[in-house]
Amino acid sequence: MIFQDETGKRWFKVKALFFTSLLMLLGFVSLFILHRYGVVNLPWTNKFTGQLFAVMKQAFIAYLFFTIVLGFVRMFIIYIFCFKQHRKNKVLTEYRKINKNHLRNFRPSVTVIIPVYNEEVVIRRTVRAILKSDYPVAEILIVDDGSTDQTAEIATKIFHLWDKVKVIKKVNGGKSSALNLGFKQAIGDIVITIDADTVFHKSTISHLVDSFSDPRVAAVSGNCKIGNIINQITLWQHIEYVTANQLEKRAFEELNCITVVPGSNSAWRKSVVQKLGYYHKDTLAEDSELTLRILNAGYKIVYEDRAISYEECPETVRDFIKQRNRWSYGILQVAWKHKKNILTSSNKTLKYFAVPSLLFSYLLFLTSPLIDFIFIAAILSGTSSIYLFALLFYLTDFLNSFIAFKMGKEKMKPLMWVFIQRIGYRYLLAYVTWTAVIRAFRGRQVGWRKLNRSGNNAYKV
């Protein structure tokens, strides 16, 4: 597993560097205090301290200015390509209506893979929704990765009359191994992957398959929505999902640099996945890792907003942090694994926009408490330029969500919480990101840390 360091040497070096720096700082502070109270005569400490604080202040102001300006530039680029993709989709929709009889001839065989581990609460609805699909799937493979509950037994008992539903039991080996087993046994040319807590709309598979009529397309990312909006933490995730899908996914598709095709709602050309060696097991973000390999191999990845799914998101702060710790750590692993491939990639938008955008997001999460501190200090000190820039940034952030909800035809009521959501999210994600970075330095093995299912998905099958 990437970042794993059983010797502990890396973490020892990090701690040694940290404590050495801390001791040097404490030593200087002690000398400054002793001089201030006349115990020792060290006049250089006053001059050095003044210069140090002046440099720190200028550095903080420059950093805030840099992040705001870079954020605006990033958003401007996303707006341009998002609206470009949206206009293109309108044309495609008209084309599909006019040529619907011809397009119906493209009907590749499809296998749906559901990797499961202790999913007895939700497996019924997931499979039933797929069976109601308007696309005739060849088979549904439920790959049981060593569940300790009744998942396999329930699936076998309820769906034994459907020949296309097959339960495959295996020893626990992780989600990647379950997906790989499913791919190797799949008979479909197109493979749909779906998480056990996710429910498909009846037309989702049809829309996922449409794009594969283009032989350059190797993967399609669906439109993931939250199905259990029951409290503030789930509402915040709803805002996040809509904004990310309707803005970033659209723009990144137009630029052909989507960095993750989520395993909860995705379609893959099986021949390409086979050619690239299936899912790798050395990261916790197996879907993102495979996505980058596909992009680096020169294939095209599409976002299909009509392929709607509803999934169960974490309902408590504790479960949210558990899930995002895995995501953040996994993405760090993927970025580290592919650092050389990214630098030499022929996909220029991946190299010069998508990956820098990802790193910029991590930088913001890591420093968000500092940015808030500078913002408050600017208000108290009367530094109006920083205050106005920050206010403009927050308004732009709101505009992002407003446009995304409008584009996705979502109800606008949740946006009344967007300012609170951004503040709460910043600190949750700052904690998650710092935890992921520290775990990477510590080098300890990080497991999947599966969430318990509530079964609160409100979407009606």
Side-chain angles (χ1 to χ4, degrees):
M1 185 73 75
I2 291 175
F3 294 143
Q4 193 167 339
D5 179 21
E6 295 179 357
T7 65
K9 290 181 179 179
R10 182 171 66 239
W11 183 234
F12 175 78
K13 292 177 182 178
V14 171
K15 288 192 295 184
L17 179 63
F18 173 77
F19 284 113
T20 300
S21 302
L22 182 62
L23 286 173
M24 290 176 64
L25 178 62
L26 291 174
F28 171 74
V29 171
S30 300
L31 290 175
F32 177 77
I33 294 173
L34 290 173
H35 170 75
R36 195 69 179 267
Y37 287 94
V39 178
V40 295
N41 184 26
L42 297 172
W44 61 269
T45 57
N46 284 335
K47 184 179 180 180
F48 181 80
T49 303
Q51 291 177 340
L52 179 64
F53 279 117
V55 170
M56 289 177 62
K57 181 180 178 181
Q58 291 301 318
F60 287 161
I61 292 174
Y63 173 72
L64 183 61
F65 182 79
F66 168 78
T67 54
I68 291 173
V69 170
L70 201 60
F72 283 145
V73 171
R74 180 179 179 273
M75 278 296 100
F76 182 69
I77 293 172
I78 286 176
Y79 283 159
I80 290 174
F81 289 97
C82 171
F83 289 122
K84 187 176 180 180
Q85 189 268 358
H86 188 57
R87 287 195 300 270
K88 182 183 72 177
N89 269 13
K90 285 186 176 180
V91 174
L92 280 174
T93 300
E94 290 301 317
Y95 172 81
R96 286 169 180 144
K97 286 180 179 179
I98 295 171
N99 298 279
K100 59 183 179 181
N101 293 328
H102 171 71
L103 292 174
R104 279 177 184 166
N105 294 329
F106 179 71
R107 306 289 276 185
S109 58
V110 170
T111 293
V112 178
I113 300 176
I114 313 172
V116 297
Y117 177 74
N118 291 352
E119 303 286 4
E120 62 182 10
V121 175
V122 294
I123 190 62
R124 300 173 182 83
R125 292 191 60 182
T126 301
V127 178
R128 281 172 179 157
I130 297 169
L131 289 171
K132 291 184 179 181
S133 171
D134 61 11
Y135 193 96
V137 299
E139 59 181 351
I140 301 170
L141 303 182
I142 304 171
V143 185
D144 183 13
D145 189 39
S147 294
T148 58
D149 66 358
Q150 299 297 307
T151 301
E153 289 75 15
I154 290 172
T156 302
K157 180 180 179 180
I158 294 177
F159 302 108
H160 70 280
L161 295 178
W162 281 267
D163 293 335
K164 66 174 66 177
V165 180
K166 303 169 185 176
V167 179
I168 305 170
K169 299 186 72 172
K170 63 181 286 294
V171 176
N172 182 261
K175 188 175 181 181
S176 296
S177 67
L179 286 167
N180 285 341
L181 179 59
F183 264 92
K184 290 172 183 177
Q185 296 197 18
I187 62 175
D189 296 320
I190 306 300
V191 174
I192 310 286
T193 62
I194 176 174
D195 286 345
D197 66 319
T198 303
V199 179
F200 275 0
H201 185 274
K202 67 177 182 178
S203 64
T204 296
I205 294 176
S206 294
H207 294 316
L208 286 172
V209 170
D210 280 348
S211 296
F212 288 101
S213 58
D214 181 350
R216 298 171 299 169
V217 173
V220 178
S221 173
N223 185 1
C224 305
K225 298 189 178 187
I226 302 299
N228 59 325
I229 307 174
I230 61 172
N231 56 24
Q232 282 298 315
I233 192 68
T234 55
L235 180 65
W236 292 356
Q237 290 171 84
H238 168 60
I239 296 172
E240 177 193 24
Y241 272 48
V242 173
T243 305
N245 282 328
Q246 298 301 328
L247 281 183
E248 293 190 5
K249 274 285 178 70
R250 288 181 184 276
F252 281 29
E253 186 220 308
E254 189 65 23
L255 293 165
N256 192 33
C257 59
I258 292 175
T259 54
V260 57
V261 178
S264 60
N265 181 357
S266 58
W268 313 82
R269 196 181 295 276
K270 188 177 69 172
S271 59
V272 174
V273 175
Q274 289 174 327
K275 179 182 176 181
L276 296 179
Y278 300 99
Y279 289 91
H280 289 180
K281 302 177 183 180
D282 52 356
T283 76
L284 292 178
E286 74 291 327
D287 44 10
S288 183
E289 197 278 332
L290 178 56
T291 302
L292 284 188
R293 277 190 282 137
I294 287 174
L295 288 175
N296 283 324
Y299 293 100
K300 187 177 178 181
I301 295 177
V302 173
Y303 167 64
E304 179 52 78
D305 66 308
R306 299 174 301 161
I308 297 171
S309 66
Y310 295 87
E311 62 188 69
E312 183 182 307
C313 70
E315 298 176 356
T316 65
V317 172
R318 182 178 179 180
D319 282 344
F320 175 83
I321 290 174
K322 186 190 297 185
Q323 182 194 67
R324 296 310 172 95
N325 270 332
R326 173 169 53 81
W327 288 7
S328 295
Y329 187 79
I331 291 172
L332 284 177
Q333 288 177 311
V334 172
W336 184 259
K337 176 178 179 178
H338 287 279
K339 58 185 184 296
K340 292 183 180 179
N341 293 335
I342 291 168
L343 291 174
T344 59
S345 176
S346 59
N347 188 323
K348 296 187 184 304
T349 53
L350 175 68
K351 180 164 53 176
Y352 296 119
F353 184 71
V355 172
S357 290
L358 180 65
L359 296 177
F360 177 68
S361 298
Y362 268 76
L363 180 64
L364 284 181
F365 294 150
L366 288 170
T367 59
S368 56
L370 178 64
I371 294 174
D372 287 341
F373 171 78
I374 296 172
F375 180 52
I376 294 170
I379 295 175
L380 296 177
S381 64
T383 311
S384 58
S385 58
I386 296 177
Y387 170 76
L388 292 174
F389 263 111
L391 184 60
L392 185 60
F393 184 79
Y394 292 137
L395 290 174
T396 304
D397 203 29
F398 172 79
L399 182 63
N400 291 342
S401 295
F402 179 82
I403 292 173
F405 271 67
K406 196 78 173 175
M407 197 169 286
K409 299 179 181 179
E410 300 283 345
K411 295 179 180 178
M412 294 292 178
K413 186 177 179 181
L415 292 183
M416 64 184 293
W417 297 100
V418 71
F419 289 110
I420 297 175
Q421 185 251 13
R422 289 297 189 260
I423 294 171
Y425 245 47
R426 274 205 307 276
Y427 286 96
L428 283 176
L429 293 176
Y431 172 78
V432 164
T433 308
W434 274 108
T435 301
V437 170
I438 291 171
R439 283 181 173 175
F441 279 119
R442 288 176 72 92
R444 293 182 178 177
Q445 185 172 356
V446 178
W448 188 257
R449 305 184 73 195
K450 176 182 161 32
L451 304 177
N452 293 321
R453 306 299 188 194
S454 67
N456 287 331
N457 197 327
Y459 179 69
K460 303 298 182 183
V461 177

